[in-house]
Amino acid sequence: MTKTRRKIDAALKAKIALQALREQATVTDLAQRHQVHPNQIDAWKKQLLDHAARAFDPKVGLDASAREIEKLHAKIGQLTIENDFFAKRFGR
């Protein structure tokens, strides 16, 4: 019998990592309470500390939105060309 992996969302990971950083409870207690391995909580703590500066960086997310806009512009261009082609083809 195989066990399915449990998926933990980012909000819960952040909450657990913050609790571990604040030392509200020991890592072992948090691990038992949330049914995860203590090493996983330590990894989440490290990840939170490594990426904490990104929360205050106004440039974060601009690259992703610029790429999304570029993809949308490409899609608009493609649909315009297809629309023109079919309009000519069917005499509209």
Side-chain angles (χ1 to χ4, degrees):
M1 179 154 56
T2 61
K3 241 182 162 177
T4 59
R5 286 187 173 209
R6 182 173 150 212
K7 294 184 188 223
I8 301 173
D9 65 334
L12 182 59
K13 289 178 186 180
K15 181 180 172 184
I16 294 169
L18 281 172
Q19 287 176 352
L21 283 173
R22 290 180 188 149
E23 297 179 353
Q24 293 174 337
T26 65
V27 173
T28 306
D29 291 339
L30 289 171
Q32 288 175 350
R33 188 178 323 148
H34 297 286
Q35 298 175 347
V36 295
H37 197 276
N39 290 345
Q40 189 64 61
I41 294 176
D42 288 332
W44 293 338
K45 276 179 24 181
K46 183 180 182 320
Q47 187 176 9
L48 179 64
L49 290 173
D50 290 346
H51 299 291
R54 295 179 72 198
F56 301 103
D57 189 1
K59 296 177 184 173
V60 170
L62 289 181
D63 293 334
S65 61
R67 282 189 300 240
E68 185 66 26
I69 289 171
E70 186 176 319
K71 285 170 45 179
L72 290 173
H73 281 256
K75 186 66 174 177
I76 289 169
Q78 177 189 356
L79 292 173
T80 302
I81 290 171
E82 289 175 1
N83 194 19
D84 291 344
F85 172 77
F86 286 120
K88 289 177 186 175
R89 178 125 178 150
F90 295 111
R92 290 186 185 176

